[in-house]
Amino acid sequence: MKTIQIPYYKGTMDLHVSEQNLKAVITAKMHEFTRTKGEGELVEEALANPIGTKRLSELAVGKKRVTLVTSDHTRAVPSKLTLPILLREIRKGNPEAEITILIGTGLHRAPTEEEQRRMFGDTIVDHETIVSNDAFDPEQFTNICTLPSGADFYVNKLAAECDLLLAEGFIEPHFFAGFSGGRKSILPGICSKETVNENHSYRAIASPYAATGVLKGNPIHEDMVYAARKVNTAFILNVALDGEKKVVAAFAGDLEAAHEAGVEFIRSQSQCRAVTGDIVVTSNGGYPLDQNLYQSPKAVSTAEVCAGEDGVIIMCCSCCDGMGGTHFERLITLGTPEEIDAYLSKIPPKETIAEQWCPQIYSRILRKHTVIVVTTFLDHEMVRRANMIPASSLDEALKMAYERKGSDAGVVVLPDGVSVMVVKEE
């Protein structure tokens, strides 16, 4: 019997699989990456050697109002480490700069003060100006232009009206934007609900190019880059994280050039050959990524690549913060997967409902696969209403899967489904 630890909430949950059933355990090379320098040293080195731009301290000279976009509580950006370094670099070039840290919430709620202290540390919360983007407050936004997709681009005024705009984030495979990081700090990070919704429309999500690891031809990515350029995003710092969410590489500089360098590193560390199984077990990477069911399609869509014909997918996701947004909850419990997709497909891009993209992706997967959700926080009745099967442990879920696929079913395990990019061989 093999015991495999699967990320869950702030720890792990054990999965027990017999050797004869286990076909593969697929992990990103990143998890075994040997760091030769300290985390802070990697960040400092990236800032000292920016890709495609001057140093941030040089860009800050003469810039009075500086806006620094960071991520919210649903992301694993190590801001407690990176923000102090970025702030020092800005003030090295301009000690008098008026710096605003703008939290890119997208459509999420604002982080609480307690969450901010966990993310940024007490010193920054107590001494810096911090503002959370509120996508639902029209007073925060100004209209910039029309994006390539035809969407109206409304961005936070703190970004549009500053003298220097920069962003920090981290890069990982993303289930419809190709990869996270870079331009994503701007769109969806600091945009209005109208802009975010239309960028994530049914039509955009349905594109064959809106997929993990795909940037070329991806309409969602193209809108994001266009938007970030239109507000003159002058500098980014993006990091790569290992399985313990420690920095193993850092990339700084031009919005596209630095992001592309980071993407190539992530691709080299995360791309794996798909192995087909009757049962696929995965997780959404543990806290903070597994806070709610709304975030979980990221790993489920990765598992889908490995799931055989009508294979069973087991998702380990704490859902400690519940279902997620109210729109997601309403749409994912609207009816059968077929009924949900039929409803969403009739919604025009400019009338896109917030969070509809996750029910859309789930409805696609659920039409082919049984999904078992392992959670000890979320009400199991809510899981059932979402067309999924609840379980309280991985062993309980695996037993259910064997009952559906047979005792000799082959099991493929992706312990951290958001960190790997599985590719089928042609």
Side-chain angles (χ1 to χ4, degrees), residues 79-80 83-85 87-88 91 101 113 116-130:
S79 296
K80 193 178 290 188
L83 276 183
I85 298 173
L87 292 169
R88 283 200 303 271
R91 288 174 175 139
I101 297 171
E113 181 180 330
Q116 287 187 31
R117 290 184 183 278
R118 174 183 58 77
M119 294 154 58
F120 307 142
D122 292 337
T123 300
I124 284 179
V125 173
D126 290 337
H127 298 287
E128 302 291 344
T129 300
I130 303 173

PDB file of all heavy atoms in Angstrom, residues 79-80 83-85 87-88 91 101 113 116-130:
ATOM      1  N   SER A  79       4.117  38.225  -0.568  1.00  0.00           N
ATOM      2  CA  SER A  79       4.255  39.684  -0.460  1.00  0.00           C
ATOM      3  C   SER A  79       4.990  40.129   0.788  1.00  0.00           C
ATOM      4  O   SER A  79       5.614  41.187   0.800  1.00  0.00           O
ATOM      5  CB  SER A  79       2.877  40.341  -0.518  1.00  0.00           C
ATOM      6  OG  SER A  79       2.269  40.116  -1.781  1.00  0.00           O
ATOM      7  N   LYS A  80       4.921  39.335   1.848  1.00  0.00           N
ATOM      8  CA  LYS A  80       5.637  39.693   3.076  1.00  0.00           C
ATOM      9  C   LYS A  80       7.140  39.779   2.807  1.00  0.00           C
ATOM     10  O   LYS A  80       7.854  40.573   3.430  1.00  0.00           O
ATOM     11  CB  LYS A  80       5.340  38.664   4.171  1.00  0.00           C
ATOM     12  CG  LYS A  80       5.774  39.102   5.569  1.00  0.00           C
ATOM     13  CD  LYS A  80       5.405  38.073   6.629  1.00  0.00           C
ATOM     14  CE  LYS A  80       3.921  38.004   6.866  1.00  0.00           C
ATOM     15  NZ  LYS A  80       3.578  37.131   8.026  1.00  0.00           N
ATOM     16  N   LEU A  83       7.226  42.716  -1.043  1.00  0.00           N
ATOM     17  CA  LEU A  83       6.819  44.116  -0.957  1.00  0.00           C
ATOM     18  C   LEU A  83       7.872  45.009  -0.296  1.00  0.00           C
ATOM     19  O   LEU A  83       8.164  46.101  -0.813  1.00  0.00           O
ATOM     20  CB  LEU A  83       5.479  44.254  -0.233  1.00  0.00           C
ATOM     21  CG  LEU A  83       4.217  44.050  -1.079  1.00  0.00           C
ATOM     22  CD1 LEU A  83       2.970  44.292  -0.225  1.00  0.00           C
ATOM     23  CD2 LEU A  83       4.199  44.967  -2.295  1.00  0.00           C
ATOM     24  N   PRO A  84       8.449  44.617   0.838  1.00  0.00           N
ATOM     25  CA  PRO A  84       9.482  45.480   1.424  1.00  0.00           C
ATOM     26  C   PRO A  84      10.647  45.740   0.476  1.00  0.00           C
ATOM     27  O   PRO A  84      11.193  46.852   0.432  1.00  0.00           O
ATOM     28  CB  PRO A  84       9.937  44.697   2.663  1.00  0.00           C
ATOM     29  CG  PRO A  84       8.758  43.850   3.027  1.00  0.00           C
ATOM     30  CD  PRO A  84       8.153  43.457   1.713  1.00  0.00           C
ATOM     31  N   ILE A  85      11.026  44.718  -0.303  1.00  0.00           N
ATOM     32  CA  ILE A  85      12.126  44.879  -1.256  1.00  0.00           C
ATOM     33  C   ILE A  85      11.729  45.843  -2.362  1.00  0.00           C
ATOM     34  O   ILE A  85      12.504  46.727  -2.760  1.00  0.00           O
ATOM     35  CB  ILE A  85      12.551  43.504  -1.822  1.00  0.00           C
ATOM     36  CG1 ILE A  85      13.055  42.602  -0.693  1.00  0.00           C
ATOM     37  CG2 ILE A  85      13.616  43.669  -2.896  1.00  0.00           C
ATOM     38  CD1 ILE A  85      13.330  41.168  -1.125  1.00  0.00           C
ATOM     39  N   LEU A  87       9.408  48.208  -2.224  1.00  0.00           N
ATOM     40  CA  LEU A  87       9.260  49.546  -1.662  1.00  0.00           C
ATOM     41  C   LEU A  87      10.627  50.209  -1.462  1.00  0.00           C
ATOM     42  O   LEU A  87      10.792  51.407  -1.739  1.00  0.00           O
ATOM     43  CB  LEU A  87       8.498  49.476  -0.342  1.00  0.00           C
ATOM     44  CG  LEU A  87       7.023  49.069  -0.452  1.00  0.00           C
ATOM     45  CD1 LEU A  87       6.440  48.783   0.924  1.00  0.00           C
ATOM     46  CD2 LEU A  87       6.210  50.141  -1.171  1.00  0.00           C
ATOM     47  N   ARG A  88      11.610  49.447  -1.011  1.00  0.00           N
ATOM     48  CA  ARG A  88      12.969  49.990  -0.851  1.00  0.00           C
ATOM     49  C   ARG A  88      13.541  50.418  -2.197  1.00  0.00           C
ATOM     50  O   ARG A  88      14.188  51.466  -2.307  1.00  0.00           O
ATOM     51  CB  ARG A  88      13.897  48.947  -0.206  1.00  0.00           C
ATOM     52  CG  ARG A  88      13.727  48.780   1.284  1.00  0.00           C
ATOM     53  CD  ARG A  88      14.954  48.126   1.904  1.00  0.00           C
ATOM     54  NE  ARG A  88      15.267  46.833   1.317  1.00  0.00           N
ATOM     55  CZ  ARG A  88      14.775  45.676   1.754  1.00  0.00           C
ATOM     56  NH1 ARG A  88      13.920  45.664   2.771  1.00  0.00           N
ATOM     57  NH2 ARG A  88      15.133  44.546   1.187  1.00  0.00           N
ATOM     58  N   ARG A  91      11.913  53.688  -3.327  1.00  0.00           N
ATOM     59  CA  ARG A  91      12.364  54.835  -2.517  1.00  0.00           C
ATOM     60  C   ARG A  91      13.857  55.102  -2.679  1.00  0.00           C
ATOM     61  O   ARG A  91      14.324  56.219  -2.407  1.00  0.00           O
ATOM     62  CB  ARG A  91      11.985  54.590  -1.057  1.00  0.00           C
ATOM     63  CG  ARG A  91      10.470  54.742  -0.859  1.00  0.00           C
ATOM     64  CD  ARG A  91       9.991  54.391   0.511  1.00  0.00           C
ATOM     65  NE  ARG A  91       8.554  54.690   0.618  1.00  0.00           N
ATOM     66  CZ  ARG A  91       7.661  53.917   1.228  1.00  0.00           C
ATOM     67  NH1 ARG A  91       8.057  52.786   1.812  1.00  0.00           N
ATOM     68  NH2 ARG A  91       6.388  54.269   1.260  1.00  0.00           N
ATOM     69  N   ILE A 101      -0.346  50.926  -2.353  1.00  0.00           N
ATOM     70  CA  ILE A 101      -0.421  49.489  -2.650  1.00  0.00           C
ATOM     71  C   ILE A 101      -1.879  49.178  -2.970  1.00  0.00           C
ATOM     72  O   ILE A 101      -2.757  49.349  -2.121  1.00  0.00           O
ATOM     73  CB  ILE A 101       0.064  48.657  -1.457  1.00  0.00           C
ATOM     74  CG1 ILE A 101       1.546  48.956  -1.166  1.00  0.00           C
ATOM     75  CG2 ILE A 101      -0.139  47.157  -1.718  1.00  0.00           C
ATOM     76  CD1 ILE A 101       2.059  48.351   0.132  1.00  0.00           C
ATOM     77  N   GLU A 113      -8.435  42.884   7.501  1.00  0.00           N
ATOM     78  CA  GLU A 113      -7.178  43.389   8.065  1.00  0.00           C
ATOM     79  C   GLU A 113      -6.303  42.227   8.534  1.00  0.00           C
ATOM     80  O   GLU A 113      -5.079  42.231   8.340  1.00  0.00           O
ATOM     81  CB  GLU A 113      -7.453  44.343   9.231  1.00  0.00           C
ATOM     82  CG  GLU A 113      -6.163  44.907   9.822  1.00  0.00           C
ATOM     83  CD  GLU A 113      -6.387  45.851  10.986  1.00  0.00           C
ATOM     84  OE1 GLU A 113      -7.435  46.532  11.018  1.00  0.00           O
ATOM     85  OE2 GLU A 113      -5.514  45.904  11.872  1.00  0.00           O
ATOM     86  N   GLN A 116      -4.677  40.791   5.560  1.00  0.00           N
ATOM     87  CA  GLN A 116      -3.621  41.692   5.078  1.00  0.00           C
ATOM     88  C   GLN A 116      -2.359  41.554   5.929  1.00  0.00           C
ATOM     89  O   GLN A 116      -1.242  41.563   5.403  1.00  0.00           O
ATOM     90  CB  GLN A 116      -4.115  43.139   5.101  1.00  0.00           C
ATOM     91  CG  GLN A 116      -5.115  43.463   4.019  1.00  0.00           C
ATOM     92  CD  GLN A 116      -5.451  44.948   3.984  1.00  0.00           C
ATOM     93  OE1 GLN A 116      -4.627  45.791   4.309  1.00  0.00           O
ATOM     94  NE2 GLN A 116      -6.678  45.273   3.594  1.00  0.00           N
ATOM     95  N   ARG A 117      -2.527  41.441   7.233  1.00  0.00           N
ATOM     96  CA  ARG A 117      -1.362  41.298   8.104  1.00  0.00           C
ATOM     97  C   ARG A 117      -0.639  39.980   7.837  1.00  0.00           C
ATOM     98  O   ARG A 117       0.604  39.912   7.896  1.00  0.00           O
ATOM     99  CB  ARG A 117      -1.777  41.420   9.569  1.00  0.00           C
ATOM    100  CG  ARG A 117      -2.207  42.834   9.947  1.00  0.00           C
ATOM    101  CD  ARG A 117      -2.524  43.004  11.423  1.00  0.00           C
ATOM    102  NE  ARG A 117      -2.984  44.374  11.667  1.00  0.00           N
ATOM    103  CZ  ARG A 117      -2.199  45.424  11.831  1.00  0.00           C
ATOM    104  NH1 ARG A 117      -0.884  45.255  11.800  1.00  0.00           N
ATOM    105  NH2 ARG A 117      -2.696  46.627  12.038  1.00  0.00           N
ATOM    106  N   ARG A 118      -1.405  38.930   7.537  1.00  0.00           N
ATOM    107  CA  ARG A 118      -0.780  37.653   7.182  1.00  0.00           C
ATOM    108  C   ARG A 118      -0.036  37.762   5.855  1.00  0.00           C
ATOM    109  O   ARG A 118       1.066  37.230   5.691  1.00  0.00           O
ATOM    110  CB  ARG A 118      -1.845  36.555   7.083  1.00  0.00           C
ATOM    111  CG  ARG A 118      -1.292  35.218   6.584  1.00  0.00           C
ATOM    112  CD  ARG A 118      -2.385  34.174   6.438  1.00  0.00           C
ATOM    113  NE  ARG A 118      -3.455  34.574   5.541  1.00  0.00           N
ATOM    114  CZ  ARG A 118      -3.357  34.562   4.215  1.00  0.00           C
ATOM    115  NH1 ARG A 118      -2.216  34.188   3.616  1.00  0.00           N
ATOM    116  NH2 ARG A 118      -4.382  34.911   3.466  1.00  0.00           N
ATOM    117  N   MET A 119      -0.626  38.474   4.907  1.00  0.00           N
ATOM    118  CA  MET A 119      -0.044  38.588   3.573  1.00  0.00           C
ATOM    119  C   MET A 119       1.150  39.527   3.514  1.00  0.00           C
ATOM    120  O   MET A 119       2.161  39.228   2.873  1.00  0.00           O
ATOM    121  CB  MET A 119      -1.107  39.102   2.588  1.00  0.00           C
ATOM    122  CG  MET A 119      -2.270  38.163   2.344  1.00  0.00           C
ATOM    123  SD  MET A 119      -3.761  39.061   1.838  1.00  0.00           S
ATOM    124  CE  MET A 119      -3.227  39.925   0.376  1.00  0.00           C
ATOM    125  N   PHE A 120       1.015  40.695   4.168  1.00  0.00           N
ATOM    126  CA  PHE A 120       1.992  41.770   4.005  1.00  0.00           C
ATOM    127  C   PHE A 120       2.908  41.988   5.210  1.00  0.00           C
ATOM    128  O   PHE A 120       3.965  42.584   5.076  1.00  0.00           O
ATOM    129  CB  PHE A 120       1.270  43.097   3.709  1.00  0.00           C
ATOM    130  CG  PHE A 120       0.300  43.041   2.567  1.00  0.00           C
ATOM    131  CD1 PHE A 120      -0.896  43.748   2.626  1.00  0.00           C
ATOM    132  CD2 PHE A 120       0.564  42.304   1.426  1.00  0.00           C
ATOM    133  CE1 PHE A 120      -1.802  43.724   1.581  1.00  0.00           C
ATOM    134  CE2 PHE A 120      -0.326  42.260   0.371  1.00  0.00           C
ATOM    135  CZ  PHE A 120      -1.516  42.968   0.448  1.00  0.00           C
ATOM    136  N   GLY A 121       2.474  41.552   6.381  1.00  0.00           N
ATOM    137  CA  GLY A 121       3.208  41.833   7.608  1.00  0.00           C
ATOM    138  C   GLY A 121       2.705  43.102   8.278  1.00  0.00           C
ATOM    139  O   GLY A 121       2.148  43.988   7.630  1.00  0.00           O
ATOM    140  N   ASP A 122       2.903  43.189   9.577  1.00  0.00           N
ATOM    141  CA  ASP A 122       2.377  44.315  10.352  1.00  0.00           C
ATOM    142  C   ASP A 122       2.971  45.657   9.940  1.00  0.00           C
ATOM    143  O   ASP A 122       2.270  46.671   9.905  1.00  0.00           O
ATOM    144  CB  ASP A 122       2.651  44.091  11.847  1.00  0.00           C
ATOM    145  CG  ASP A 122       1.844  42.929  12.421  1.00  0.00           C
ATOM    146  OD1 ASP A 122       0.797  42.593  11.837  1.00  0.00           O
ATOM    147  OD2 ASP A 122       2.264  42.362  13.441  1.00  0.00           O
ATOM    148  N   THR A 123       4.255  45.678   9.627  1.00  0.00           N
ATOM    149  CA  THR A 123       4.907  46.951   9.317  1.00  0.00           C
ATOM    150  C   THR A 123       4.272  47.629   8.116  1.00  0.00           C
ATOM    151  O   THR A 123       3.976  48.830   8.136  1.00  0.00           O
ATOM    152  CB  THR A 123       6.414  46.732   9.056  1.00  0.00           C
ATOM    153  OG1 THR A 123       7.014  46.168  10.217  1.00  0.00           O
ATOM    154  CG2 THR A 123       7.096  48.052   8.730  1.00  0.00           C
ATOM    155  N   ILE A 124       4.012  46.865   7.069  1.00  0.00           N
ATOM    156  CA  ILE A 124       3.411  47.450   5.870  1.00  0.00           C
ATOM    157  C   ILE A 124       1.967  47.861   6.130  1.00  0.00           C
ATOM    158  O   ILE A 124       1.530  48.950   5.737  1.00  0.00           O
ATOM    159  CB  ILE A 124       3.521  46.459   4.690  1.00  0.00           C
ATOM    160  CG1 ILE A 124       4.958  46.462   4.168  1.00  0.00           C
ATOM    161  CG2 ILE A 124       2.530  46.807   3.574  1.00  0.00           C
ATOM    162  CD1 ILE A 124       5.228  45.521   3.041  1.00  0.00           C
ATOM    163  N   VAL A 125       1.207  47.031   6.817  1.00  0.00           N
ATOM    164  CA  VAL A 125      -0.188  47.379   7.107  1.00  0.00           C
ATOM    165  C   VAL A 125      -0.263  48.643   7.969  1.00  0.00           C
ATOM    166  O   VAL A 125      -1.130  49.499   7.769  1.00  0.00           O
ATOM    167  CB  VAL A 125      -0.912  46.203   7.799  1.00  0.00           C
ATOM    168  CG1 VAL A 125      -2.309  46.620   8.257  1.00  0.00           C
ATOM    169  CG2 VAL A 125      -1.009  45.009   6.847  1.00  0.00           C
ATOM    170  N   ASP A 126       0.659  48.792   8.901  1.00  0.00           N
ATOM    171  CA  ASP A 126       0.624  49.928   9.832  1.00  0.00           C
ATOM    172  C   ASP A 126       1.176  51.222   9.231  1.00  0.00           C
ATOM    173  O   ASP A 126       0.799  52.316   9.675  1.00  0.00           O
ATOM    174  CB  ASP A 126       1.405  49.597  11.107  1.00  0.00           C
ATOM    175  CG  ASP A 126       0.703  48.544  11.965  1.00  0.00           C
ATOM    176  OD1 ASP A 126      -0.531  48.397  11.833  1.00  0.00           O
ATOM    177  OD2 ASP A 126       1.404  47.852  12.739  1.00  0.00           O
ATOM    178  N   HIS A 127       2.046  51.105   8.219  1.00  0.00           N
ATOM    179  CA  HIS A 127       2.759  52.302   7.770  1.00  0.00           C
ATOM    180  C   HIS A 127       2.587  52.649   6.294  1.00  0.00           C
ATOM    181  O   HIS A 127       3.020  53.732   5.874  1.00  0.00           O
ATOM    182  CB  HIS A 127       4.251  52.154   8.073  1.00  0.00           C
ATOM    183  CG  HIS A 127       4.547  52.021   9.529  1.00  0.00           C
ATOM    184  ND1 HIS A 127       4.465  53.070  10.420  1.00  0.00           N
ATOM    185  CD2 HIS A 127       4.903  50.940  10.276  1.00  0.00           C
ATOM    186  CE1 HIS A 127       4.763  52.657  11.632  1.00  0.00           C
ATOM    187  NE2 HIS A 127       5.041  51.363  11.590  1.00  0.00           N
ATOM    188  N   GLU A 128       1.975  51.782   5.493  1.00  0.00           N
ATOM    189  CA  GLU A 128       1.797  52.066   4.070  1.00  0.00           C
ATOM    190  C   GLU A 128       0.331  52.333   3.749  1.00  0.00           C
ATOM    191  O   GLU A 128      -0.575  51.936   4.495  1.00  0.00           O
ATOM    192  CB  GLU A 128       2.312  50.905   3.214  1.00  0.00           C
ATOM    193  CG  GLU A 128       3.772  50.542   3.434  1.00  0.00           C
ATOM    194  CD  GLU A 128       4.750  51.607   2.939  1.00  0.00           C
ATOM    195  OE1 GLU A 128       4.329  52.490   2.155  1.00  0.00           O
ATOM    196  OE2 GLU A 128       5.926  51.549   3.336  1.00  0.00           O
ATOM    197  N   THR A 129       0.103  52.986   2.610  1.00  0.00           N
ATOM    198  CA  THR A 129      -1.255  53.229   2.124  1.00  0.00           C
ATOM    199  C   THR A 129      -1.706  52.024   1.309  1.00  0.00           C
ATOM    200  O   THR A 129      -1.088  51.695   0.284  1.00  0.00           O
ATOM    201  CB  THR A 129      -1.304  54.493   1.241  1.00  0.00           C
ATOM    202  OG1 THR A 129      -0.875  55.613   2.014  1.00  0.00           O
ATOM    203  CG2 THR A 129      -2.724  54.735   0.730  1.00  0.00           C
ATOM    204  N   ILE A 130      -2.749  51.350   1.771  1.00  0.00           N
ATOM    205  CA  ILE A 130      -3.246  50.141   1.109  1.00  0.00           C
ATOM    206  C   ILE A 130      -4.709  50.340   0.736  1.00  0.00           C
ATOM    207  O   ILE A 130      -5.521  50.758   1.566  1.00  0.00           O
ATOM    208  CB  ILE A 130      -3.108  48.900   2.020  1.00  0.00           C
ATOM    209  CG1 ILE A 130      -1.645  48.709   2.448  1.00  0.00           C
ATOM    210  CG2 ILE A 130      -3.630  47.653   1.316  1.00  0.00           C
ATOM    211  CD1 ILE A 130      -1.446  47.602   3.475  1.00  0.00           C
TER     212      ILE A 130
END
